[in-house]
Amino acid sequence: MSIFGADIGSAASVICRDDGELLRNELGGHRTTSCVATSGSGERLLGEASFSANVRNKASAVGRLATLPYQTLMQTPASRHWPFSHAARADGSGEFELVGSDAPVPGVALLGALLGKLRSTSVGELSTGKPRLSIALMPCSDEEAAFARAALADAATIGGWQLCNISSSAEASAEALARKYPRIADSEAIDVLIVDMGEASTGVTAVRLRAAEAADGWSAEVLAQSGDSCLGCMDFDAAIFDHFSGVVADKYGEVIRAGSRAGFRLLDGCERLRKLLSTMPEAAATVENLVDGVDVPLTFSRDELATVCAPLYSRLRSVLETTSTHEGLQPLASVELCGGGTRMPSVQAVVSEALGGALGEAKFGAKLDDVSIAIGAALLGKVRLPVAAAPEVEGERAAAPPPPPSDAEAASAATFDGFLAEDELTALIAKEVELAAADSALAALSAKRNELEGYVLEARSLRAHSKHGHLIDGGKLEPLLDAAEEWLYSEEGEAAGLPPLEQKLAELKQQVAAIATEFTAALEADKLREEQALEASDAERLREKAAAGEDEDHDTRKLKFPDRMRLVGKNKEEGTELFQGGNYRPAAARYNKALTHAVKFVDLSPDQRSEVDAIKLSLHLNIAMCWLKITDAENHLEQAIRSCGEALQLDDTCVKAYFRRATALEAKKDYEGAKKDLLRASELAPEDKAVKKLTERVEAQIKRQEAKEKKMWSKAFS
C-alpha cells in the first residue's frame, strides 16, 4: 500500500506518492488552493472549486487556522483581514463561521474538509481503504509544533486518512534535497543551507549531505533548524496594505478598513505590487473602485518596500542567525532558496547580509521547488514505517531489514493523539461524511446545469463559427435553443433536480442532432481524413525512430545538457510545424513530449536552469494555445487553463499566460475570472491591443449577464 506525502501550504497544498508521482486535482494541476469557501446558496467550495467564490465567503490558509493556537493567529496582521467571524475554544484552538454557513466549526474541521477533498480527487482509486498519509509540519516553535501535531492528527482523521508520519518541513526538504543535489567528486560530506519563505511562514535549515553508498546519491542529516510561523509573503502584503491605507486616507479622506470589500481590493493590489518588485525596481498597479467609484493608482519602489517592511527583515535575520551560527557548521557548499518569498531581491539581500562570512563562495541555488516538501514527506513516511529490525553487532554489517509490516501492523504502531474529545471527533467525522455527500450531489447538479447551458451556447455557435455551419437550418435551431434557455432560467428550471436536467439535455441533443444531420456528416468526414493523416504521420515517425535506434518512451538516460536540449528543441519544432498546419492535437502531443524531456535535465547550473525554465514556459503557452484550438474535446478549456497555470508558476509576469487563460475563462463564461486575469495583463502590458480588445468584450459580457439577471429577478418579483 502506497504512502502519500502532503505539504499543506498556506497558499496551496501538494500531494504526491512515495514513488515520486505528483497527484493532480480535478483541473489537472498539482497545486490545490488551501481554501474552504461557501457559495451564495450555501454550497461548500473546497480547493480549486473556491476560485470563483466571493472573497468574503472564503477561509484561506486553512492549514494555519487549524495548526496554530488561536491566540497566536490573533497576533498576526493577516487576522485583521479575515472576512468571517471567529472565537477561541477551550482547547486553545479557534472556531470559524464562514459567510453562508450555518454554524461555526473548529479549524481542524476546515482542514479535515480540505484533506478529504485532496483524498477524494487526488488519491481516488489509487488506494483502497483509508490511504496512509505522511505530512510535513510548517516551520514553527517547539510549543507550536506540539499543538500542530495534535491538530493534524484530528484533521487527518476527519478527512478520512490514516496518519502514519509527521515530519518537520526541515526534515522533508532535507530528504528531497538529498535526492536532487548533484554528487560532488571526492566529497564525503558537504553542508547546505535551505531558506524557505512561503506565503505565511519561514524556515531555515542547515543540512549535512553525506555521500551514500550509491554512486550518485547522498544521505541527509538536519544539523539545525529554526523557523517563524508568522513570517511570510502575506505579512509583507499586510505591511504594504497598512502603508497604502494611510496614503489613501491622506489623499482621499477615506479610511480603507481591513476585511472590507475595498480592503480586499487594496490588499490584492498590494500583493501585485510586491510580485512586480521581484522583477523591476519600481512598480505600479491600479485598484479599481477603491474610493467612491474612483480607480486609485498605486506606485511603489524597492527602497520603499525596504522601509515599510524593515521589522520583517529583522525577524528574518534572527531566524537566519539562529541556524547559521550552529556550532560545527562547515563552509556552505550552497544556499538553496525556495518558496515565493525568496524571489524578492530584498529577501535575498538580507540572506546574503545575515550569512556574511558563512556564505563564503556559496551561491544561491534553486534545486528545491514547490513539490519538494511533499516528496520529502512521502519518502520519510516510507522510511519510517515501523519495522522490527534485527540487533546490530558491533563490527559487523547490519542484517537486511525484514519485509515491511502489514497495514494492520503499521496502523497499530503509528498512532497520533489529537486534542479533540472522542465524542466531538466522532461527531465531526460524521458531519464531514454528510457534507461530502451533499457536496458531491450539489457538484453533480451544478455540473449538469453547466453542461446544459454550455450545450446551448455551443449549439448556437455552430452556425456562426463552424466550417460547415451553413448546413444547419437556423430557422429550426434558434427557436429550439431559445426555448431551452428560457426553461433553464425559469422557476421550473431553477428548481429542477438532476433527473429532469439529464432528461432535458438528452432531449435537446436528440432534437439538435435531427436538425444538424448534414453538418454532423461533414464533420465526421473531416475527422476521418485528419485521423488518416495522423496515422500516416505516426507511422513515418516510428520508422524514423526505428532507423535511428531510439526508444523515447522509456528514456531514462542521463544525457548531457546539450544532448537533452537537442531533443527538447526537436520536439518543439515538430510541434510548431504541426500547429502551423492546423494539426492541433498532434502539435500538443509533440509539445508535451518536449516537456517530458525538459524535466529530465540533471545537475543544472543557475544559467541552465533559467534556460530550461524559459523553454518550459514557451511549451506550456504553446500547449494552452493548442487546447484553445481543439474545440471538439469536452475538457479543452480546462486543459488550456491548466497549461496557463503551469506557465504562471514559472513566470507570474507572463502576459501571454494571463491573456490565454482569460480567453479560456471567457469561453467558460467565467467573466469575472477573465477580467481579473486581464487586469493583471493590462498592468504588465498597458499598450497591448489584444488585451484591450478582449477586456472590452469581457466587460460587455458582464454587463449583458447583469442585465439578464436583472430581467430574471424582475420576473420573479412581478
Side-chain angles (χ1 to χ4, degrees), residues 154-192:
D154 287 333
T157 303
I158 293 169
W161 293 88
Q162 176 189 318
L163 188 61
C164 67
N165 176 63
I166 299 177
S167 58
S168 67
S169 58
E171 294 171 316
S173 57
E175 188 68 19
L177 185 66
R179 310 300 176 105
K180 290 191 171 188
Y181 205 94
R183 185 67 174 267
I184 300 175
D186 302 325
S187 292
E188 291 300 315
I190 59 172
D191 287 357
V192 178

Side-chain angles (χ1 to χ4, degrees), residues 457-480:
L457 290 173
E458 181 185 348
R460 285 194 194 281
S461 69
L462 293 179
R463 294 183 64 247
H465 303 294
S466 297
K467 178 180 177 182
H468 304 292
H470 63 281
L471 298 175
I472 302 174
D473 186 345
K476 294 180 179 179
L477 180 66
E478 292 300 330
L480 179 66

Side-chain angles (χ1 to χ4, degrees), residues 29 87 160 181 256 296 341 348 372 415 531 546 557 597 610 655 688 697:
Y181 205 94
I256 306 299
V296 176
Q348 295 177 9
S372 295
T415 57
E531 288 176 352
R557 298 169 292 172
H597 285 295
S610 297
V655 175
D688 192 303
R697 195 164 73 220

Side-chain angles (χ1 to χ4, degrees), residues 441-465:
L442 284 171
L445 183 63
S446 177
K448 190 57 63 176
R449 287 188 61 83
N450 289 339
E451 186 180 353
L452 176 54
E453 189 176 22
Y455 183 75
V456 171
L457 290 173
E458 181 185 348
R460 285 194 194 281
S461 69
L462 293 179
R463 294 183 64 247
H465 303 294

Side-chain angles (χ1 to χ4, degrees), residues 404-421:
S406 66
D407 293 343
E409 291 171 332
S412 63
T415 57
F416 299 89
D417 295 326
F419 52 66
L420 293 178

Side-chain angles (χ1 to χ4, degrees), residues 7-10 63-64 67-69 72 135-146 148-149 152 166-173 194-205 224-232 235 315-316 319 323 338-339 373:
D7 175 18
I8 308 299
S10 294
R64 286 169 60 78
T67 57
L68 283 179
T72 301
I135 197 165
L137 199 61
M138 66 179 181
C140 55
S141 67
D142 292 341
E143 295 80 6
E144 291 170 340
R149 288 175 183 275
L152 289 174
I166 299 177
S167 58
S168 67
S169 58
E171 294 171 316
S173 57
I194 300 172
V195 181
D196 180 3
M197 178 181 283
E199 184 72 8
S201 61
T202 296
V204 179
T205 309
Q225 57 181 300
S226 58
D228 188 329
S229 61
C230 303
L231 175 61
D235 297 286
R315 288 166 57 188
L316 175 59
V319 176
T323 302
C338 58
I373 290 179

Side-chain angles (χ1 to χ4, degrees), residues 75-78 197 199-200 202 228 230-242 274 305-320 344 346-347 350-351:
Q75 294 170 13
T76 64
M197 178 181 283
E199 184 72 8
T202 296
D228 188 329
C230 303
L231 175 61
C233 295
M234 64 169 57
D235 297 286
F236 283 84
D237 296 341
I240 300 170
F241 175 94
D242 291 342
R274 173 180 57 79
L305 178 68
T307 301
V308 169
C309 299
L312 300 178
Y313 295 126
S314 296
R315 288 166 57 188
L316 175 59
R317 289 187 188 93
S318 176
V319 176
L320 285 162
M344 291 188 280
S346 55
V347 168
V350 170
V351 173

